[in-house]
Amino acid sequence: MVQLSHSRYGKDNIRLLKVERDPTNPRLQYVYEFTIRVMLEGDIAAAYTHADNAPVVTTDSMKNTTHILAKKNPVSPPELFASILGTHFVTTYAHIHKAFVHIVQHRWTRYAVDGAPHEHSFIRDGEEVRVVDAEVDESGPITLNGGIADLLVLKSTGSAFYGYVQDKYTTLPETEDRIMSTAIDATWKFDQFENLEAVRASIETIEKGYASAREITLNTFATHESASVQATLYLMCQRIIEANSTIGEVSYRLPNKHYFEIDLSWFEGLKNTGEDAQVYAPQSNPNGLITATVTRD
Ligand code: AZA
C-alpha cells in the first residue's frame, strides 16, 4: 500500500513586467519585472490518487490570475503583491488552504541622461535580484520572507583565514590577507502578519527591511576585518536583526569564490605571493559554501 503524504502544485516562471505612470505626468514611469511561482495546497489529493480533476484550479488559470491581479493592484513592494496574490487563491477557492508565492524582482534602475534622472529609461545594473516568499493561510496569517540573491561582491583586502584544523589532509596555507568574494543570497523573515491588511499597513517597515538588510550586507562586507566567511555572515545577521525590530530571523547562503595566489618565483624570482600578491587565479570550482540562520533570542 502507498499513500499520498504531501502534495502541492502550481505555475513556475510566470513572467511579467508592469509599467506604472505618474498620474500628473504620464511620461514619468516606473517599471517592475517579476518572475513568479505560485504553489497551492488543499483538498487536491483526488487529482493525484483518483485521476479526478474536479479540485484542480489549472496552472494556466494561475498564470492568468497573476497577470490580472498585477493589472488591478500595486505590485510594489513585491512582498505586498505576493500577499495579494496568495490571499486571492485561499479566499476564492474553499478547498485551497495554503498558497505559496515566490517572486524574483529583476533590476531596472532609472538612469541619468545629461545629469537628470530619465523619465522612462532604465538600466539592468547587475544580475542581483530581490526575492520574496509569501506563505498565505486561508485563516488569514501571512508569513513573509524578503531577500536578495546573486549580489556579487569582492574585496581585495581586509580578509584573513587562519587557525583552522591542521592535519594530514590540510594543504591550504594560512593567510592574514586574501581576496574575499561571494554571491550574496540573504533571506530575512518578518514577524507573522495577521492578514493582508496588516501587510498593507506595514509597507514602510517592509521597504525599510529590504533597504537596511542590503545596506548592512554591503557595509559589513566592506568594513569587517574578516576572520572567515562564517564570522562575517554572522555579523551581518546580527546587525540586520538589531536594526529591524520586526525581523526575527536572517539566513545567508554564501559561496566562497576563491582567488588563489600564483607563485611566479620560477620566473626570474618574480614576487607574487603574500604581501607582493597582485595577479591571482580566479577559481570557478570547487567553491566553499557557508550557510547559517540566526534568530532573535
Ligand atoms: N571559511 C572561510 O572563510 N574560508 C575558507 C574555509 C572556511 O570554512 N575553508 N577554506 N577556506
Side-chain angles (χ1 to χ4, degrees):
M1 286 290 283
V2 297
Q3 62 172 355
L4 183 70
S5 44
H6 172 76
S7 58
R8 185 186 291 180
Y9 80 108
K11 199 68 147 187
D12 198 7
N13 295 309
I14 304 168
R15 296 189 56 191
L16 68 86
L17 178 134
K18 183 171 187 190
V19 178
E20 290 184 355
R21 299 177 182 84
D22 188 279
T24 56
N25 171 13
R27 298 279 289 177
L28 175 56
Q29 307 192 346
Y30 303 82
V31 297
Y32 306 93
E33 182 167 345
F34 294 160
T35 303
I36 300 176
R37 176 169 64 239
V38 176
M39 299 292 287
L40 303 180
E41 280 181 11
D43 300 328
I44 55 175
Y48 294 81
T49 58
H50 290 79
D52 175 2
N53 288 334
V56 177
V57 177
T58 71
T59 69
D60 190 60
S61 304
M62 295 182 201
K63 176 258 299 170
N64 293 341
T65 305
T66 303
H67 291 156
I68 292 162
L69 293 190
K71 169 71 182 177
K72 293 172 75 167
N73 292 278
V75 297
S76 177
E79 287 86 348
L80 172 61
F81 185 59
S83 303
I84 291 171
L85 195 50
T87 301
H88 168 89
F89 289 106
V90 297
T91 55
T92 303
Y93 305 101
H95 67 293
I96 299 299
H97 305 318
K98 266 190 180 217
F100 301 81
V101 181
H102 176 72
I103 298 184
V104 176
Q105 179 172 7
H106 307 279
R107 284 178 83 80
W108 284 122
T109 304
R110 188 181 304 284
Y111 67 86
V113 174
D114 295 333
H118 197 265
E119 288 181 324
H120 53 257
S121 295
F122 305 87
I123 188 168
R124 170 69 45 89
D125 58 342
E127 291 311 307
E128 171 197 354
V129 288
R130 178 171 175 172
V131 291
V132 171
D133 270 292
E135 189 179 320
V136 184
D137 192 275
E138 66 178 348
S139 63
I142 299 179
T143 303
L144 281 179
N145 282 290
I148 295 168
D150 298 332
L151 173 56
L152 186 58
V153 289
L154 178 149
K155 65 195 279 187
S156 51
T157 189
S159 166
F161 190 58
Y162 53 83
Y164 43 82
V165 173
Q166 296 287 346
D167 62 13
K168 63 184 178 181
Y169 300 104
T170 311
T171 56
L172 185 73
E174 296 191 317
T175 177
E176 294 193 2
D177 186 16
R178 65 174 182 174
I179 288 179
M180 185 157 125
S181 177
T182 186
I184 288 162
D185 183 331
T187 309
W188 48 93
K189 186 181 205 159
F190 292 99
D191 294 343
Q192 196 175 60
F193 295 89
E194 213 179 315
N195 50 33
L196 181 55
E197 288 324 302
V199 176
R200 281 192 208 283
S202 305
I203 286 175
E204 266 182 34
T205 309
I206 289 168
E207 288 290 44
K208 188 201 149 222
Y210 168 75
S212 100
R214 187 173 187 277
E215 192 183 324
I216 287 169
T217 300
L218 290 173
N219 288 0
T220 306
F221 180 81
T223 57
H224 182 223
E225 286 297 320
S226 176
S228 65
V229 176
Q230 286 90 330
T232 303
L233 180 162
Y234 184 77
L235 186 59
M236 289 171 175
C237 294
Q238 191 182 349
R239 287 177 172 173
I240 291 171
I241 290 173
E242 279 168 8
N244 294 275
S245 60
T246 61
I247 293 176
E249 184 178 305
V250 180
S251 302
Y252 278 85
R253 191 176 185 279
L254 299 179
N256 191 1
K257 295 180 164 285
H258 307 298
Y259 287 76
F260 288 164
E261 291 184 2
I262 306 171
D263 183 354
L264 295 175
S265 61
W266 58 271
F267 184 80
E268 300 173 354
L270 205 51
K271 291 183 176 162
N272 190 52
T273 57
E275 62 189 19
D276 299 308
Q278 286 187 286
V279 178
Y280 294 80
Q283 307 295 302
S284 46
N285 55 58
N287 60 272
L289 182 60
I290 314 298
T291 73
T293 297
V294 175
T295 50
R296 192 182 296 282
D297 279 339

